Amino acid sequence: MLHVWEYGLRSILLMLFLAPTAVAQTTGCVPMTNQQLIIYRAGSLTRAFTPLVAAFTCQTGIQVKDMAMGSVDAARQITAGGQPADLYAPADYMDIDLFLKPAGYADFNIVFAQGKMVLAYSANSVGEKKLPPIVAPASQPFHPPDSIPNAAPEWYSILAMPGVVIGGGHPFLDPGAYRADMIFQLAQEYYHVPNLYNNLLKHLMIPGPGNTGSALGKQFDFQLTYEHNAQASASKDPDIRYVNLPDEINLSDAAKNTWYGQHASIVLPGLGTPGSARTVAVSASRVAWGICILKKAPHPEAAVRFLQLLLGRTGTDLLRENGPAPISPALVSRDDFRRIPESIRPLVKESKSAE
């Protein structure tokens, strides 16, 4: 039985989590049940999924195990690692198509959010190391999210200067990390600078195991990251700034997917399960988040109910407020459309390739 004080606490927490514009006023939460839902997802979805999970539990009483980590790591956890999961939501929608589908773990891929990569930096680091301005001359002022300056025309040469450190992650675990590698490749192709990829890669710092203290402005000076993450960091720390990169490099434009894929890719280890590929080639594509229900989901009905919330008004409003930007209606390829639950079909748009 749900005690009165627990009922009131959950109502208060829900109101703190949910912005007034995100959902209608809620008079109370249904009693907690023994039902469960297990989500493995990208860490870049945390700010939107935290209130979304709270709303879901309030409306349904279903308890949610919400696991945030690098998307490729998550894929291996729920396959080779044998961890039960209902929903998988990677930061690169292609991870579902390239890893889970061929190995028989998923039937469909819903592309529900989008974004871009920006170059974040520490204003103090740039000043202390006496680096050239990273902001383009006569560029618009830094007032996120409405006004973001462009990077200096030769931003890449600043990142390759002696003593500069670029923060990163392990590309075998996280799309945010391998997208930084892809941006280095695209920069070399776009600017026609010989050996630029290697010169930038020399400045990339990947934290070792157990090193959780790495931070922009402390251990490194620059970082390629998702725009909504950079915006959140800048809102909390005035030392953090970021600049826009050209669309040919920032992985934001679906119309440039052919360009991205032709000029940047990375080969990752496979899932490590019987029947899965030993290695998987991932071509660069626009920044977009995907989600699927696992074929062996222990709680498929709860997963469908969560998708209805995510793809409906509540989810799109929370994504719009917290990032990444929602794709509404979400996109599903023609081949995948017939495989998604019927109750989800009104919330998605069938497209040629879900791009």
Side-chain angles (χ1 to χ4, degrees), residues 6 39 51 72 112 141 143 147-148 154 171 207-208 260 352:
E6 291 174 323
I39 305 172
V72 184
F112 69 94
H143 293 302
S147 174
I148 307 300
E154 295 189 353
Y260 298 147
K352 184 176 180 180

Side-chain angles (χ1 to χ4, degrees), residues 253-278:
D253 190 350
K256 291 182 169 58
N257 263 1
T258 299
W259 159 266
Y260 298 147
Q262 286 177 342
H263 300 296
S265 63
I266 190 167
V267 177
L268 304 179
L271 296 174
T273 61
S276 63
R278 290 180 59 84

Side-chain angles (χ1 to χ4, degrees), residues 133-150:
I134 195 68
V135 176
S139 189
Q140 57 186 328
F142 182 74
H143 293 302
D146 300 320
S147 174
I148 307 300
N150 294 325

Side-chain angles (χ1 to χ4, degrees), residues 189-205:
E189 187 68 25
Y190 182 67
Y191 293 110
H192 305 291
V193 177
N195 207 39
L196 177 59
Y197 170 76
N198 283 340
N199 289 338
L200 290 171
L201 207 59
K202 292 177 184 177
H203 292 262
L204 186 66
M205 183 195 76

Side-chain angles (χ1 to χ4, degrees), residues 22-46:
V23 294
Q25 290 294 325
T26 304
T27 56
C29 300
V30 303
M32 194 80 73
T33 71
N34 291 326
Q35 292 179 281
Q36 292 186 331
L37 175 69
I38 306 170
I39 305 172
Y40 275 72
R41 61 165 176 83
S44 51
L45 293 169
T46 294

Side-chain angles (χ1 to χ4, degrees), residues 9 12-13 16 49 64 67 97 111 133 141 148 152 169 180 191 196 212 223 225 252 266 279 343:
L9 178 60
I12 293 170
L13 288 175
L16 290 175
F49 267 51
V64 180
M67 304 296 292
D97 292 332
V111 184
I148 307 300
Y191 293 110
L196 177 59
T212 59
Q223 183 180 28
T225 186
S252 68
I266 190 167
T279 60
S343 60

